[in-house]
Amino acid sequence: MKHLIFTIGLLALVSCKDNKNQETITHSDEIENRDAHLNEHHVEAAANVYDNSWTEEIEMDNGEKWQSDLPTNEGVKKLQHTINTHSTSTLADYHKLAELLNEDKNYVIKNCTMQGPAHDNLHVWLHPLIEKIAALTQTETVEDASKLKSTIDENINAYYDYFK
């Protein structure tokens, strides 16, 4: 089940709506390559899920924030609300938080209409968030879950450093 949620998240990551024709674009080759890479480097990825190295990859729009669309901004507000209001003291609480964050993340993905470089940079921000949420569903200790919650919170809030 946990791997299914992660796989669904990856599938959703590479599928965003095209603003002009509202058709869903799916990159199956990217999914297969990404899945193979993740399987080969599972241990390495698990260690890196706590960092925010994606901030070294994301770009600004000529020194300015990228223009985002309304549905993406609404989805990020949902993510912020969820992480800020869901109480977490037990492992079950953290797993429930992961479930709720996954729903909010799916809202962003399903309703995204961004295109071009802004959309590409959204994926730089979003991909690590998907990995972190998936990892939170698989945590086995409150200590690990707490660390992940903290880095997820940082990831979500950093959205506003790059998008308006």
Side-chain angles (χ1 to χ4, degrees):
M1 178 67 176
K2 295 173 186 173
H3 294 291
L4 175 63
I5 292 171
F6 181 71
T7 302
I8 289 170
L10 283 176
L11 287 171
L13 172 66
V14 295
S15 174
C16 287
K17 290 182 182 177
D18 182 305
N19 194 27
K20 292 181 182 172
N21 60 20
Q22 295 298 307
E23 292 179 12
T24 301
I25 301 168
T26 304
H27 308 283
S28 59
D29 289 339
E30 286 182 26
I31 294 167
E32 289 177 19
N33 289 339
R34 190 170 288 149
D35 285 349
H37 177 75
L38 288 173
N39 289 335
E40 291 173 13
H41 301 287
H42 178 72
V43 173
E44 180 182 328
N48 292 334
V49 77
Y50 294 100
D51 73 28
N52 282 313
S53 60
W54 63 269
T55 60
E56 297 169 15
E57 297 174 37
I58 198 164
E59 298 175 359
M60 299 294 288
D61 184 14
N62 296 314
E64 301 292 324
K65 294 178 182 182
W66 294 102
Q67 183 62 53
S68 185
D69 61 359
L70 183 60
T72 302
N73 285 335
E74 288 173 352
V76 173
K77 286 179 185 173
K78 288 178 183 229
L79 286 161
Q80 282 184 313
H81 178 75
T82 298
I83 200 156
N84 289 333
T85 60
H86 187 78
S87 176
T88 49
S89 57
T90 68
L91 196 54
D93 292 338
Y94 284 103
H95 289 166
K96 180 63 177 175
L97 174 62
E99 180 183 323
L100 296 170
L101 289 170
N102 195 53
E103 291 172 11
D104 295 342
K105 177 260 311 167
N106 286 342
Y107 176 88
V108 171
I109 293 166
K110 290 175 184 174
N111 294 288
C112 173
T113 60
M114 295 170 63
Q115 296 179 343
H119 179 257
D120 296 341
N121 280 283
L122 178 67
H123 279 250
V124 173
W125 170 81
L126 188 59
H127 181 73
L129 182 61
I130 290 170
E131 290 179 345
K132 292 171 186 182
I133 293 170
L136 186 58
T137 68
Q138 299 175 14
T139 54
E140 296 179 0
T141 68
V142 170
E143 181 183 13
D144 287 343
S146 177
K147 289 179 191 175
L148 273 168
K149 180 182 177 184
S150 177
T151 191
I152 289 169
D153 188 47
E154 291 171 12
N155 203 135
I156 292 169
N157 289 320
Y159 172 84
Y160 294 104
D161 293 338
Y162 302 97
F163 299 94
K164 57 183 176 182

